[in-house]
Amino acid sequence: MISLWIRKVCQNSQIGLGLALSTGILLLALAGPWLAPYSPLDLVGPRYGPPDAKALLGYDYLGHDVWSRLLCGGVSLVWMSIAASAIALTLGALIGMIAGFFRGRIDQIIIWWSDVFLAFPNLILILLVVAMLGRDPWLIVLIVSIAFLPGVIRLSRSITLGIAQQEYIEVTTMMGYSTYRILLREILPNISMPLLIHLGTMLSWAVGILAGLSFLGYGVEPPAADWGLMVNENRAGLQIQPYAVLAPATLIALFALGTNLLAEGLGRAQSGIRETP
């Protein structure tokens, strides 16, 4: 089964394209600060200056080198997106497994709380909390992960409900295995692939939400370099110096597209394996 899945993945061009885009943007964001020719805070040219020999993409609204700020501005978006998605995946998978395994009153309480959070649109909930409590990066990450929790809980719970009724789970329960061992060694491996596919989808959502927060002024605080913030800062000079807006917007779109293609491709590969006789 594992070899079949690996072969399906290697043959899927959509997965290859998504992996290439995601990895490329990730490497650019991580290595960018060491490759930038200037500090992202240095004023090295005229306001909205065109590209020249010293600045490949010209200058922004204050005279910063756009290329340098572009190289330094992806770290915050990348780590916050990954952290928010990973936290939501870890907590949501655990809570969903507990709900699906124990059922009864525990399941009802968990699903009720999930429904309460699902009633609030993600972006509105995040904006409300950030406006009240501030925009510290780790607070934003925590709020975004909480917004993603209901979806992960429901996915984990629905799969666990089916697995918990299998005979081998009933046998392990009768043999006296601890709940901890059953959840982590018997159930978790069987729900890991759908959860990893959902992780790719959450990454796409996180990129869009976090970039949107920075654009609206609720994300990374200026004068720090951030792709979403760069779009907001330079949109007034779009017709004069379009690179200061188009370059970060393109990288945001490519990162979101890459993670989405990767998640969708993995999902199709998994579906193809299930349909294989």
Side-chain angles (χ1 to χ4, degrees):
M1 178 65 73
I2 296 177
S3 60
L4 177 61
W5 183 83
I6 294 176
R7 188 165 62 251
K8 287 277 187 180
V9 168
C10 294
Q11 294 173 351
N12 194 314
S13 58
Q14 182 177 352
I15 294 178
L17 178 58
L19 183 62
L21 286 174
S22 303
T23 305
I25 300 299
L26 179 61
L27 292 176
L28 177 67
L30 296 178
W34 285 272
L35 301 175
Y38 303 101
S39 167
L41 305 181
D42 289 346
L43 303 177
V44 295
R47 297 178 61 223
Y48 292 125
D52 57 27
K54 295 182 179 180
L56 297 177
L57 297 178
Y59 305 92
D60 68 0
Y61 76 115
L62 287 179
H64 302 114
D65 175 27
V66 173
W67 176 241
S68 296
R69 287 182 68 81
L70 191 71
L71 290 175
C72 298
V75 176
S76 57
L77 180 64
V78 167
W79 84 257
M80 290 172 71
S81 301
I82 294 176
S85 302
I87 292 173
L89 184 75
T90 303
L91 294 179
L94 179 60
I95 296 173
M97 285 192 298
I98 291 174
F101 181 75
F102 288 103
R103 298 185 288 272
R105 179 75 59 135
I106 295 177
D107 184 27
Q108 293 176 1
I109 294 175
I110 291 175
I111 292 302
W112 184 82
W113 278 107
S114 297
D115 291 340
V116 170
F117 279 101
L118 282 173
F120 295 92
N122 287 347
L123 186 57
I124 295 178
L125 175 63
I126 295 168
L127 284 173
L128 178 63
V129 176
V130 171
M132 293 173 55
L133 302 180
R135 50 182 180 175
D136 182 78
W138 276 108
L139 175 62
I140 296 175
V141 167
L142 181 61
I143 299 305
V144 173
S145 64
I146 291 175
F148 289 164
L149 265 181
V152 184
I153 290 174
R154 284 187 164 274
L155 175 62
S156 176
R157 170 187 174 270
S158 64
I159 304 175
T160 302
L161 282 172
I163 296 175
Q165 298 175 4
Q166 298 294 322
E167 293 182 357
Y168 72 96
I169 298 295
E170 295 178 358
V171 170
T172 57
T173 303
M174 289 187 295
M175 293 178 63
Y177 287 0
S178 66
T179 303
Y180 173 84
R181 178 173 179 176
I182 295 174
L183 291 178
L184 296 187
R185 294 191 179 184
E186 305 296 337
I187 295 179
L188 182 60
N190 289 287
I191 68 173
S192 58
M193 184 51 61
L195 289 176
L196 290 176
I197 294 171
H198 189 66
L199 174 64
T201 304
M202 284 195 297
L203 277 173
S204 301
W205 297 341
V207 170
I209 290 175
L210 292 170
L213 285 176
S214 295
F215 177 80
L216 295 172
Y218 289 94
V220 176
E221 296 187 49
D226 178 82
W227 290 344
L229 186 61
M230 287 176 66
V231 175
N232 181 39
E233 291 173 339
N234 298 289
R235 58 193 174 92
L238 180 61
Q239 296 181 342
I240 305 172
Q241 219 298 51
Y243 299 108
V245 174
L246 296 181
T250 300
L251 292 181
I252 293 171
L254 289 177
F255 189 39
L257 176 63
T259 54
N260 188 60
L261 288 174
L262 184 59
E264 184 178 345
L266 289 173
R268 290 183 177 181
Q270 181 72 7
S271 299
I273 293 174
R274 290 176 180 175
E275 295 173 0
T276 301

